[in-house]
Amino acid sequence: MRTQLAKRLGCEVPIFAFSHCRDVIVEVSKAGGFGVLGASTFSPEQLEQELRWIDDHVGGRPYGVDVLIPANYDKEAEASLGELERLIPDAQRQFLDGLLEQAGVPPLPDDERARVRQELAEGRGGMTPDGARRLLAVALQHPGVKLVVSALGAPPADVVALLREKGVMIGALCGKVSHAVRQREVGVEVIIAQGTEAGGHTGDIATLVLVPQVVEACPDIPVLAAGGITRGSQIAACLALGAEGVWCGSIWLGTRESELTPFEKDAIFAAKAEDAVRRRARTGKPVRMLRSTLSEAWEKPGAPPYLPTPLQGILYNEAHARVVRAGRRDLYSFPVGQAVGTMNEETSVREVMLRMQTEYLAATERLAGLWEE
Amino acid sequence: MRTQLAKRLGCEVPIFAFSHCRDVIVEVSKAGGFGVLGASTFSPEQLEQELRWIDDHVGGRPYGVDVLIPANYDKEAEASLGELERLIPDAQRQFLDGLLEQAGVPPLPDDERARVRQELAEGRGGMTPDGARRLLAVALQHPGVKLVVSALGAPPADVVALLREKGVMIGALCGKVSHAVRQREVGVEVIIAQGTEAGGHTGDIATLVLVPQVVEACPDIPVLAAGGITRGSQIAACLALGAEGVWCGSIWLGTRESELTPFEKDAIFAAKAEDAVRRRARTGKPVRMLRSTLSEAWEKPGAPPYLPTPLQGILYNEAHARVVRAGRRDLYSFPVGQAVGTMNEETSVREVMLRMQTEYLAATERLAGLWEE
């Protein structure tokens, strides 16, 4: 399954792994795939540290970095956390506090609360136009970085020009054909067509429908299929649709190398496909995540309206920390795709990579065999 | 792509076409596929007439019939239309009437209203346990019928026994793995795994995720992939996932042979994938259908709650007839899947069948070629 894109990027198989965890990135790239580090919540100093660690461990294999590059100057994104917190209305704050109190989830101790708040404030830095460019500057100091992906769609012209000059490929995620067309127009070189079954922020259109339409709309650049993919048969399916590779996120959460705690992994292993629901409780925009009593409470009649981004996320952040600290599976949620239904026990990145390739082989042989039936 | 299932049913390619239109059924089966007539809204006399017409035109090719067979006795389904209409609260009735009045859509003339109501009353007959069995008895008089599909999930034991005795295969639609497991247990012989991207009543899980999980859960019976499929590359993809064929509905709506009016076809040709939304306005349960100002009005804050099935459908039915009669595209909706984005002009069933096979060939050749890269 070595596609043109895999050759161009210098990996063996076009399996792209999105993860916030450097160990996953290293293991995927070492196993012949292509790890892409989700970097937007790191400070420039943290990112430098992560990339240096990856360089030290990846044995010269290529990898990528995923940042959120806002196309337009967004004044709100520059606001301080304190300013934003003051914009959260009492109704929503009381609704969420009330839910947790009723469920017997204690508030955070003051020091823990300060730490969670500090992490959020630092994490927001990378989502401003300037912050994203600082992260990009760090990434470009590392010659192992062969691909930069914009998770916020069409990147600004100066970023495209800079990456082209440096010879680093630029990719972008899309959830609709019109996004892909726009991204191609501004110079994006790899489109990641992400279906509704994906974890995290996701649109409405399913991978099986989206991928062939994006391939048709952008015939001259490679398209990766994303959303719902954990098996080699699905990789064969997506290449049959015209994709040049696949982009997977959820599957790595259940590996030994993943950053999740055992509590979080157990919640994921217990979930079925239908437990990964698209809800606005986490950020104000639809995020596919584990269903929880908290995510569902906000959907019920009588719940207050969701807040706009970033206020909903700021409000949710502390509640999430309280739930994790209390070890409350019933209230716990995490962004994950419908593929969660196929993740039932801890594995390793290496096992996943080998299993996917074995399944891919079986699927393509099955398809070839149908000619003779 | 002649799978074991295609051989067993006596068709050349495992492309299953769901349609309410006998002309589509005949053309698909004559082109080597397998037409399945959606029969649940026919009276036994109408169904007899349709099947006789199909027999007269299909040249001995096999075809199927799709009925809704309620597993349990449902008292409400036996209620008369008049009784049900009296259960519709004023709030919902006034909301919908108000919307149409505000939009300047005139009420139906009395005779037209009587006709629409009469059709609805007759159509509801096939959805009762007795009515469904009467339709089944008609279907079994036609030796061309080689497959009966239950669109309401696991069929009752007597129906399974009857079909097995007659040597007619029995299929059922599912939207979750647990449905498929239950259906297999009661004796269903073909599972149609239908993803969220499908038109009509549909679940949450996408085809790409659902199909491999159902194949794994039911390894000893054939699985058809349904939802979002209009292209041969998608057929290759679904066979790679382990399906024994595909089940398509939306694509036939845009053919010359389809029962839709030019007004309805134009609305479908103009729609993009993202215009096929999952809403409860039509039946009270989620139906994927064209977005319209009417479907969206019911989602807004201040709208009354959706009514339970069948009341919501009874209420919606007359409003729909008013919208179609007034030729109001902005308010018009129709059950259709996300594949609507690929349907842009009128074609013929024969063209669709040939195009799909050509694209299938290209996709499998592409996949085979990747071994050599």
Coordinates of all heavy atoms in Angstrom, one line a residue, chain A residues 117-184:
Chain A
R117 N -6.3 25.6 35.8 CA -6.5 26.9 35.2 C -5.2 27.4 34.5 O -5.3 28.0 33.4 CB -6.9 27.9 36.3 CG -7.7 29.1 35.8 CD -8.3 29.9 36.9 NE -8.7 31.2 36.3 CZ -7.8 32.2 36.2 NH1 -6.6 32.1 36.6 NH2 -8.2 33.3 35.6
Q118 N -4.1 27.2 35.1 CA -2.8 27.6 34.5 C -2.6 26.8 33.2 O -2.2 27.4 32.2 CB -1.7 27.3 35.5 CG -0.3 27.6 35.1 CD -0.1 29.1 34.8 OE1 -0.9 29.9 35.3 NE2 0.9 29.4 34.0
E119 N -2.8 25.5 33.2 CA -2.7 24.7 32.0 C -3.5 25.2 30.9 O -3.1 25.3 29.7 CB -3.0 23.3 32.3 CG -1.8 22.5 32.9 CD -2.2 21.0 33.0 OE1 -3.2 20.5 32.4 OE2 -1.5 20.3 33.8
L120 N -4.8 25.6 31.3 CA -5.7 26.0 30.2 C -5.2 27.4 29.6 O -5.2 27.5 28.4 CB -7.1 26.2 30.9 CG -8.2 26.8 29.9 CD1 -8.5 25.8 28.8 CD2 -9.5 27.1 30.7
A121 N -4.8 28.3 30.5 CA -4.3 29.6 30.1 C -3.1 29.4 29.1 O -3.0 30.0 28.0 CB -3.9 30.4 31.2
E122 N -2.2 28.5 29.5 CA -1.0 28.2 28.6 C -1.4 27.6 27.3 O -0.9 27.9 26.2 CB 0.0 27.3 29.3 CG 0.8 28.1 30.4 CD 1.7 27.2 31.2 OE1 1.8 26.0 30.9 OE2 2.2 27.6 32.3
G123 N -2.4 26.6 27.4 CA -2.8 25.9 26.2 C -3.5 26.8 25.2 O -3.4 26.6 24.0
R124 N -4.1 27.9 25.7 CA -4.8 28.8 24.8 C -3.9 29.6 23.9 O -4.3 30.1 22.9 CB -5.8 29.7 25.6 CG -7.0 28.9 26.1 CD -8.0 29.9 26.8 NE -8.1 31.1 26.1 CZ -8.8 31.3 24.9 NH1 -9.4 30.3 24.4 NH2 -8.8 32.5 24.3
G125 N -2.6 29.7 24.4 CA -1.7 30.5 23.7 C -1.5 30.1 22.2 O -1.4 31.0 21.3
G126 N -1.4 28.8 22.0 CA -1.1 28.3 20.7 C -2.3 28.5 19.7 O -2.2 28.2 18.5
M127 N -3.4 28.9 20.2 CA -4.6 29.1 19.3 C -4.8 30.5 18.8 O -5.7 30.8 18.1 CB -5.8 28.6 20.1 CG -5.7 27.1 20.3 SD -7.1 26.5 21.3 CE -6.3 25.0 22.0
T128 N -3.9 31.4 19.2 CA -3.9 32.8 18.7 C -3.1 32.8 17.4 O -2.2 31.9 17.2 CB -3.4 33.8 19.6 OG1 -2.0 33.5 19.8 CG2 -4.0 33.7 21.0
P129 N -3.4 33.7 16.5 CA -2.5 33.8 15.3 C -1.0 33.9 15.6 O -0.2 33.2 15.0 CB -3.1 35.0 14.6 CG -4.5 35.2 15.1 CD -4.5 34.7 16.5
D130 N -0.7 34.7 16.5 CA 0.8 34.9 16.8 C 1.3 33.6 17.5 O 2.4 33.1 17.2 CB 1.0 36.0 17.8 CG 0.9 37.4 17.1 OD1 0.8 37.3 15.8 OD2 1.0 38.4 17.8
G131 N 0.5 33.0 18.4 CA 0.9 31.8 19.1 C 1.2 30.7 18.2 O 2.1 29.9 18.3
A132 N 0.2 30.5 17.2 CA 0.4 29.5 16.2 C 1.6 29.6 15.4 O 2.4 28.7 15.1 CB -0.9 29.4 15.3
R133 N 2.0 30.9 15.0 CA 3.2 31.1 14.2 C 4.4 30.9 15.1 O 5.5 30.4 14.5 CB 3.2 32.6 13.7 CG 2.2 32.8 12.5 CD 2.2 34.2 12.0 NE 1.4 34.3 10.8 CZ 0.1 34.3 10.8 NH1 -0.6 34.2 12.0 NH2 -0.6 34.4 9.7
R134 N 4.4 31.1 16.4 CA 5.5 30.8 17.2 C 5.7 29.3 17.3 O 6.9 28.8 17.2 CB 5.3 31.3 18.6 CG 5.6 32.8 18.7 CD 5.7 33.3 20.2 NE 4.4 33.3 20.8 CZ 3.6 34.3 20.8 NH1 3.9 35.5 20.2 NH2 2.4 34.3 21.5
L135 N 4.6 28.5 17.3 CA 4.7 27.0 17.3 C 5.3 26.6 16.0 O 6.2 25.7 16.0 CB 3.4 26.4 17.6 CG 2.7 26.6 19.0 CD1 1.4 25.9 19.0 CD2 3.6 26.1 20.1
L136 N 4.8 27.2 14.9 CA 5.3 26.8 13.6 C 6.8 27.1 13.5 O 7.6 26.2 12.9 CB 4.6 27.7 12.6 CG 4.4 27.2 11.2 CD1 3.8 25.9 11.1 CD2 3.6 28.2 10.4
A137 N 7.3 28.2 14.0 CA 8.7 28.5 14.0 C 9.5 27.5 14.7 O 10.6 27.1 14.2 CB 8.9 29.9 14.6
V138 N 9.0 27.0 15.8 CA 9.7 25.9 16.5 C 9.8 24.7 15.7 O 10.8 24.0 15.5 CB 9.0 25.6 17.9 CG1 9.6 24.4 18.5 CG2 9.1 26.8 18.8
A139 N 8.6 24.3 15.1 CA 8.5 23.1 14.3 C 9.5 23.1 13.2 O 10.2 22.1 12.8 CB 7.1 22.8 13.8
L140 N 9.7 24.3 12.5 CA 10.5 24.4 11.3 C 12.0 24.3 11.7 O 12.8 24.1 10.8 CB 10.2 25.6 10.6 CG 8.8 25.6 9.9 CD1 8.5 26.9 9.2 CD2 8.7 24.4 8.9
Q141 N 12.4 24.3 12.9 CA 13.7 24.1 13.3 C 14.1 22.6 13.3 O 15.3 22.3 13.5 CB 14.0 24.7 14.7 CG 13.8 26.2 14.8 CD 14.7 26.9 13.9 OE1 15.9 26.7 13.8 NE2 14.2 27.9 13.1
H142 N 13.1 21.8 13.2 CA 13.4 20.3 13.3 C 13.2 19.7 11.9 O 12.1 19.6 11.4 CB 12.4 19.7 14.3 CG 12.6 20.2 15.7 ND1 13.3 19.5 16.6 CD2 12.3 21.4 16.3 CE1 13.4 20.2 17.7 NE2 12.8 21.3 17.5
P143 N 14.4 19.2 11.3 CA 14.3 18.7 9.9 C 13.5 17.4 9.8 O 13.1 17.1 8.7 CB 15.8 18.5 9.6 CG 16.6 18.7 10.8 CD 15.7 19.3 11.9
G144 N 13.2 16.7 10.9 CA 12.4 15.6 10.8 C 10.9 15.9 10.5 O 10.2 15.0 10.0
V145 N 10.5 17.1 10.7 CA 9.1 17.6 10.5 C 8.9 17.7 8.9 O 9.5 18.7 8.4 CB 8.8 18.9 11.2 CG1 7.4 19.4 10.8 CG2 8.9 18.7 12.7
K146 N 8.2 16.8 8.3 CA 8.0 16.8 6.9 C 6.6 17.3 6.5 O 6.3 17.4 5.3 CB 8.3 15.4 6.3 CG 9.6 14.8 6.6 CD 10.7 15.6 5.9 CE 12.1 15.0 6.2 NZ 13.2 15.9 5.9
L147 N 5.8 17.5 7.5 CA 4.4 17.8 7.2 C 3.8 18.7 8.3 O 4.0 18.3 9.5 CB 3.5 16.5 7.1 CG 2.0 16.7 6.9 CD1 1.6 17.2 5.6 CD2 1.3 15.3 7.1
V148 N 3.2 19.8 8.0 CA 2.5 20.6 9.0 C 1.0 20.6 8.6 O 0.7 20.8 7.4 CB 3.0 22.0 9.0 CG1 2.1 23.0 9.8 CG2 4.4 22.0 9.7
V149 N 0.2 20.3 9.5 CA -1.3 20.2 9.2 C -2.0 21.3 10.0 O -1.7 21.6 11.2 CB -1.8 18.8 9.7 CG1 -3.3 18.8 9.6 CG2 -1.2 17.7 8.8
S150 N -2.9 22.0 9.3 CA -3.7 23.0 9.9 C -5.1 22.4 10.2 O -5.8 22.0 9.3 CB -3.9 24.2 8.9 OG -5.0 24.9 9.4
A151 N -5.4 22.3 11.5 CA -6.7 21.7 11.9 C -7.8 22.7 11.8 O -8.9 22.4 12.1 CB -6.6 21.1 13.3
L152 N -7.5 24.0 11.5 CA -8.6 25.0 11.4 C -8.9 25.3 9.9 O -9.3 26.4 9.6 CB -8.2 26.2 12.1 CG -8.7 26.4 13.6 CD1 -8.4 27.7 14.1 CD2 -10.2 26.0 13.7
G153 N -8.6 24.4 9.0 CA -9.0 24.7 7.6 C -7.9 25.5 6.9 O -6.7 25.5 7.3
A154 N -8.3 26.3 5.9 CA -7.4 27.0 5.0 C -6.5 27.9 5.8 O -6.9 28.8 6.5 CB -8.3 27.8 4.0
P155 N -5.2 27.6 5.7 CA -4.2 28.5 6.4 C -3.9 29.8 5.7 O -4.2 29.9 4.5 CB -3.0 27.6 6.4 CG -3.1 26.7 5.2 CD -4.6 26.5 4.9
P156 N -3.5 30.8 6.5 CA -3.2 32.1 5.9 C -2.0 32.0 4.9 O -1.2 31.1 4.9 CB -2.8 33.0 7.1 CG -2.9 32.1 8.3 CD -3.2 30.7 7.9
A157 N -2.0 33.0 3.9 CA -1.1 33.0 2.8 C 0.4 32.9 3.3 O 1.2 32.2 2.7 CB -1.3 34.2 1.9
D158 N 0.7 33.7 4.3 CA 2.1 33.8 4.7 C 2.6 32.4 5.2 O 3.8 32.1 5.1 CB 2.3 34.9 5.8 CG 1.6 34.5 7.1 OD1 0.4 34.3 7.1 OD2 2.3 34.5 8.1
V159 N 1.7 31.7 5.9 CA 2.1 30.4 6.4 C 2.3 29.4 5.2 O 3.3 28.6 5.2 CB 1.0 29.9 7.4 CG1 1.2 28.4 7.7 CG2 0.9 30.7 8.6
V160 N 1.4 29.4 4.2 CA 1.6 28.6 3.1 C 2.9 28.9 2.4 O 3.7 28.0 2.1 CB 0.4 28.8 2.1 CG1 0.7 28.0 0.8 CG2 -0.9 28.4 2.7
A161 N 3.2 30.2 2.2 CA 4.5 30.6 1.5 C 5.7 30.1 2.3 O 6.6 29.6 1.7 CB 4.5 32.1 1.4
L162 N 5.6 30.3 3.6 CA 6.8 29.9 4.5 C 7.0 28.4 4.4 O 8.2 27.9 4.2 CB 6.5 30.3 5.9 CG 7.5 29.8 7.0 CD1 8.8 30.6 6.8 CD2 7.0 30.1 8.4
L163 N 6.0 27.6 4.4 CA 6.1 26.1 4.4 C 6.6 25.7 3.0 O 7.5 24.8 2.9 CB 4.8 25.4 4.8 CG 4.5 25.6 6.3 CD1 3.0 25.2 6.5 CD2 5.4 24.8 7.1
R164 N 6.1 26.3 2.0 CA 6.6 25.9 0.7 C 8.0 26.2 0.5 O 8.8 25.4 -0.1 CB 5.7 26.6 -0.4 CG 4.3 26.2 -0.4 CD 3.7 26.2 -1.8 NE 2.5 25.4 -1.8 CZ 2.0 24.8 -3.0 NH1 2.7 25.0 -4.1 NH2 1.0 24.0 -2.9
E165 N 8.4 27.4 1.0 CA 9.8 27.8 0.9 C 10.7 26.8 1.6 O 11.8 26.5 1.2 CB 10.0 29.2 1.5 CG 11.3 29.8 1.4 CD 11.5 31.0 2.5 OE1 10.5 31.8 2.6 OE2 12.5 31.0 3.2
K166 N 10.3 26.3 2.8 CA 11.1 25.4 3.6 C 11.0 23.9 3.0 O 11.6 23.0 3.6 CB 10.6 25.4 5.0 CG 10.7 26.7 5.7 CD 12.1 26.9 6.2 CE 12.3 28.2 7.0 NZ 13.6 28.5 7.4
G167 N 10.1 23.7 2.1 CA 10.0 22.3 1.5 C 9.2 21.4 2.5 O 9.4 20.2 2.4
V168 N 8.4 22.0 3.4 CA 7.6 21.2 4.3 C 6.2 21.1 3.7 O 5.6 22.1 3.4 CB 7.6 21.8 5.7 CG1 6.6 21.0 6.6 CG2 9.0 21.8 6.3
M169 N 5.7 19.9 3.5 CA 4.3 19.8 3.0 C 3.3 20.4 3.9 O 3.5 20.3 5.2 CB 3.9 18.3 2.7 CG 4.4 17.8 1.4 SD 3.7 16.2 1.0 CE 2.4 16.6 -0.1
I170 N 2.2 20.9 3.4 CA 1.2 21.5 4.2 C -0.2 20.8 3.9 O -0.6 20.6 2.8 CB 1.1 23.0 4.0 CG1 -0.1 23.6 4.9 CG2 0.8 23.4 2.6 CD1 0.1 25.0 5.3
G171 N -0.8 20.3 5.0 CA -2.0 19.7 5.0 C -3.1 20.4 5.7 O -2.8 21.3 6.6
A172 N -4.4 20.1 5.5 CA -5.5 20.7 6.2 C -6.6 19.7 6.3 O -6.8 18.9 5.4 CB -5.9 22.0 5.5
L173 N -7.3 19.8 7.4 CA -8.5 19.0 7.6 C -9.8 19.6 7.0 O -9.9 20.8 7.1 CB -8.8 18.7 9.1 CG -8.1 17.5 9.7 CD1 -6.6 17.8 10.1 CD2 -8.8 16.9 10.8
C174 N -10.6 18.8 6.4 CA -11.9 19.3 5.9 C -13.0 18.4 6.2 O -12.8 17.2 6.4 CB -11.8 19.6 4.4 SG -12.1 18.2 3.4
G175 N -14.2 18.9 6.4 CA -15.4 18.1 6.6 C -16.5 18.2 5.6 O -17.5 17.6 5.6
K176 N -16.2 19.1 4.6 CA -17.1 19.3 3.5 C -16.3 19.5 2.2 O -15.2 20.0 2.2 CB -17.8 20.7 3.6 CG -18.9 20.7 4.6 CD -19.4 22.2 4.5 CE -20.5 22.4 5.5 NZ -21.1 23.7 5.3
V177 N -16.9 19.3 1.1 CA -16.2 19.5 -0.2 C -15.8 20.9 -0.4 O -14.7 21.2 -0.9 CB -17.1 19.0 -1.4 CG1 -16.5 19.3 -2.7 CG2 -17.3 17.5 -1.3
S178 N -16.7 21.8 0.0 CA -16.3 23.3 -0.2 C -15.1 23.7 0.5 O -14.3 24.5 0.1 CB -17.5 24.1 0.1 OG -17.9 23.9 1.5
H179 N -14.9 23.1 1.7 CA -13.7 23.4 2.5 C -12.5 22.9 1.7 O -11.4 23.6 1.6 CB -13.6 22.6 3.8 CG -14.7 23.0 4.8 ND1 -15.0 22.2 5.9 CD2 -15.5 24.1 4.9 CE1 -16.0 22.8 6.6 NE2 -16.3 23.9 6.0
A180 N -12.5 21.7 1.2 CA -11.4 21.2 0.5 C -11.0 22.0 -0.8 O -9.8 22.3 -1.0 CB -11.7 19.7 0.0
V181 N -12.0 22.5 -1.5 CA -11.8 23.3 -2.7 C -11.1 24.6 -2.3 O -10.1 25.0 -2.9 CB -13.1 23.6 -3.4 CG1 -13.0 24.6 -4.5 CG2 -13.7 22.3 -4.0
R182 N -11.5 25.2 -1.2 CA -10.9 26.4 -0.7 C -9.5 26.2 -0.3 O -8.6 27.0 -0.6 CB -11.8 26.9 0.4 CG -11.1 28.1 1.2 CD -11.5 29.4 0.6 NE -10.7 30.5 1.3 CZ -9.8 31.2 0.8 NH1 -9.4 31.0 -0.5 NH2 -9.1 32.1 1.5
Q183 N -9.2 25.1 0.4 CA -7.9 24.8 0.9 C -6.9 24.5 -0.3 O -5.8 25.0 -0.3 CB -8.0 23.5 1.8 CG -8.6 23.8 3.2 CD -9.1 22.6 3.9 OE1 -8.9 21.5 3.5 NE2 -9.7 22.8 5.1
R184 N -7.4 23.8 -1.3 CA -6.6 23.6 -2.4 C -6.2 24.9 -3.1 O -5.1 25.1 -3.5 CB -7.3 22.6 -3.4 CG -6.5 22.2 -4.6 CD -7.3 21.4 -5.5 NE -6.8 21.5 -6.9 CZ -7.1 22.5 -7.7 NH1 -7.9 23.4 -7.3 NH2 -6.6 22.6 -8.9

